[in-house]
Amino acid sequence: EAQVTQNPRYLITVTGKKLTVTCSQNMNHEYMSWYRQDPGLGLRQIYYSMNVEVTDKGDVPEGYKVSRKEKRNFPLILESPSPNQTSLYFCASSFGQGVNTGELFFGEGSRLTVL
Amino acid sequence: AQSVTQLDSQVPVFEEAPVELRCNYSSSVSVYLFWYVQYPNQGLQLLLKYLSGSTLVKGINGFEAEFNKSQTSFHLRKPSVHISDTAEYFCAVSPSGGSYIPTFGRGTSLIVHP
């Protein structure tokens, strides 16, 4: 089954404790992206990756890191989480250039609470 | 660059009534258009998309949308809603050439009352 898998789905952590949210897709997609969803603000893009070893900042990259060492994986790293990073996070993927229309395939979401 | 405006943050409606969720966009280039639905505690899934051709697009669960190029709109409609349609709906656009990175609206919460 074609899917985007995120882990963990739920996490409660404390300020400053480094954490990683994993994202994996099995559709051989070149494009991957991270969003955060907050009430009243919709979806805001954190980082995206056009292909392996190519990443770029989205609209709200501060406090986050990403890496794209393999095509299927795109982890989101919070080196020192703060309470304002409490949010619902989504990973999404898409086909690469040439066949891409911008249609995204989303994971189920990871709800993060930073105390 | 493009932008998307969803004119209503919340739309309450009674079951079996018709509904329209509004979406307007601005872009200096041609675009592809999408509606996504997010049911409670789930990720987003594609409802329908306009790439080219007929401006009336039909999607899943009885929804449809009409692309109006002159009014730069892509409103979502359903003639008769069900309780199960209660969800968050997102409109998105992406440029049809070059960068395909989509831009999302802020979402419209559809609340269907019995």
Side-chain angles (χ1 to χ4, degrees), chain A residues 37 90 97 100-101 103-104, chain B residues 32 36 38 49 94 100:
Chain A
Q37 182 181 16
F90 287 102
Q97 282 187 306
N100 204 328
T101 62
E103 177 184 346
L104 292 176
Chain B
Y32 299 129
Y36 291 86
Q38 181 186 24
K49 61 186 175 185
S94 68
Y100 42 80

Side-chain angles (χ1 to χ4, degrees), chain B residues 43-111:
Chain B
L44 283 76
Q45 62 184 87
L46 185 70
L47 198 56
L48 49 79
K49 61 186 175 185
Y50 171 79
L51 303 182
S52 65
S54 173
T55 57
L56 183 62
V57 180
K58 295 190 184 297
I60 61 173
N61 300 337
F63 283 93
E64 64 181 33
E66 185 153 22
F67 170 49
N68 188 318
K69 189 174 183 179
S70 62
Q71 296 188 4
T72 60
S73 67
F74 191 53
H75 301 331
L76 181 70
R77 302 185 182 101
K78 186 170 182 178
S80 175
V81 295
H82 303 287
I83 295 285
S84 59
D85 292 323
T86 295
E88 192 82 14
Y89 292 80
F90 291 93
C91 181
V93 301
S94 68
S96 61
S99 167
Y100 42 80
I101 300 171
T103 299
F104 283 84
R106 292 194 171 191
T108 297
S109 178
L110 176 63
I111 303 168

Side-chain angles (χ1 to χ4, degrees), chain B residues 1-41:
Chain B
Q2 51 274 337
S3 65
V4 179
T5 302
Q6 291 185 241
L7 295 158
D8 305 297
S9 60
Q10 202 171 81
V11 173
V13 64
F14 286 107
E15 195 173 20
E16 297 184 8
V19 70
E20 178 180 83
L21 306 184
R22 296 179 293 169
C23 173
N24 286 88
Y25 71 92
S26 68
S27 177
S28 56
V29 299
S30 297
V31 294
Y32 299 129
L33 296 143
F34 307 87
W35 276 99
Y36 291 86
V37 61
Q38 181 186 24
Y39 298 108
N41 299 313

